Amino acid sequence: MEIGQILSYDELRAFSGFQIQHGMNYSTPKGGHVFLMSMRENAPYEDWISEDGSLVEYEGHNQTKSLCADPERTDQPRRNKSGSLTKNGKFEEEALKFKNHGIGPCKISIFNKVKDGIWTFCGVFSLIDVSYVQAGPRKVFRFKLQLAESNPQTHSVVDLRHDRMIPSEIQAAVFKRDQGRCVKCGSTENLHFDHILPYSKGGSSKKVENIQILCAKHNLSKGNRFV
Ligand SMILES: [Zn+2]
């Protein structure tokens, strides 16, 4: 898996080894830790990724609706009623272990929502810091993460000259235009967002005209042209 790879819900489930239902996933059966983020207009949380794709700020998650009347005006919980840590609390503990004692950092695979049921891989990130800050009427967790690996299978380090972050709205527009298929062969498997003119050669990540969907086979054959 590489940055820019497009995953259906089934592929995401295969990666993590379970039915992902929530944004924050601590110790999944296969994929370590997983964060799902969304920067779409109506997204419930304030997630942010830097233009070069190397930094993420991820907001913690609210109290569940079954436990409080107005989650959006209630401090995000660190502990459950039973006293056990919530996902916020578990990841906070990991972040503080690293910040205060140099243990870790904990690595989290991050996926960004393109549309319902479609995600792109943003990389494996190190959880390096956390704050618990006032946001309007309540307090929220803000997790800070730094890109560590571009490929979780090989643990290779990213080369940002080639793997430049494509903004969410561009990904969504390209996915719609290309109808979720490889533009060369029409395949719907192992898809990838591809820069037509590579970023390293001055191609833009912000222009719909410069981004296309390719399958793994056609992405690879294209890559060879530039070796
Ligand atoms: Zn293809």
Side-chain angles (χ1 to χ4, degrees):
M1 180 142 59
E2 290 166 24
I3 291 174
Q5 192 163 328
I6 302 167
L7 287 92
S8 66
Y9 181 77
D10 284 346
E11 289 168 319
L12 190 60
R13 184 177 52 194
F15 173 82
S16 60
F18 82 123
Q19 300 267 10
I20 287 198
Q21 305 278 0
H22 303 285
M24 303 175 83
N25 301 278
Y26 190 88
S27 281
T28 68
K30 269 166 80 182
H33 311 300
V34 174
F35 279 179
L36 305 182
M37 61 186 229
S38 175
M39 287 169 292
R40 305 192 315 163
E41 247 171 52
N42 56 351
Y45 298 107
E46 288 196 22
D47 300 331
W48 172 85
I49 187 162
S50 63
E51 206 170 276
D52 68 359
S54 67
L55 295 171
V56 162
E57 273 185 32
Y58 190 85
E59 189 177 315
H61 284 191
N62 292 346
Q63 183 68 276
T64 49
K65 281 198 181 102
S66 59
L67 293 175
C68 82
D70 196 353
E72 286 170 17
R73 302 182 70 83
T74 306
D75 287 350
Q76 289 185 343
R78 180 177 279 117
R79 288 184 183 279
N80 296 307
K81 279 227 168 86
S82 66
S84 61
L85 291 170
T86 62
K87 307 275 175 56
N88 297 329
K90 286 181 183 173
F91 283 112
E92 182 190 44
E93 210 167 61
E94 295 283 354
L96 293 178
K97 253 193 249 171
F98 176 70
K99 191 181 168 186
N100 298 332
H101 306 289
I103 300 167
C106 135
K107 302 264 179 78
I108 302 173
S109 297
I110 299 185
F111 298 85
N112 183 38
K113 189 169 187 172
V114 176
K115 54 177 279 189
D116 287 346
I118 303 290
W119 308 84
T120 49
F121 181 59
C122 299
V124 180
F125 286 71
S126 298
L127 178 57
I128 56 172
D129 201 358
V130 63
S131 50
Y132 192 49
V133 294
Q134 199 71 34
R138 50 75 177 268
K139 283 188 156 182
V140 301
F141 289 90
R142 291 210 198 288
F143 296 97
K144 288 202 170 63
L145 304 105
Q146 194 166 42
L147 186 62
E149 298 166 8
S150 53
N151 184 321
Q153 278 85 27
T154 61
H155 301 292
S156 55
V157 177
V158 73
D159 183 346
L160 288 175
R161 286 172 304 160
H162 300 294
D163 283 315
R164 181 81 166 190
M165 177 68 194
I166 300 162
S168 276
E169 64 273 20
I170 302 294
Q171 293 185 352
V174 170
F175 194 88
K176 194 171 172 192
R177 183 199 64 204
D178 295 348
Q179 299 180 304
R181 294 169 179 275
C182 172
V183 296
K184 305 281 184 202
C185 69
S187 171
T188 57
E189 283 170 21
N190 297 313
L191 300 177
H192 206 279
F193 283 112
D194 171 65
H195 290 76
I196 295 170
L197 180 65
Y199 181 76
S200 57
K201 294 186 163 28
S204 174
S205 299
K206 292 181 182 167
K207 292 210 169 96
V208 172
E209 308 83 69
N210 193 45
I211 309 296
Q212 63 184 355
I213 295 180
L214 291 179
C215 70
K217 191 177 119 208
H218 284 111
N219 194 42
L220 211 64
S221 65
K222 190 194 164 185
N224 290 340
R225 293 211 314 264
F226 294 99
V227 170

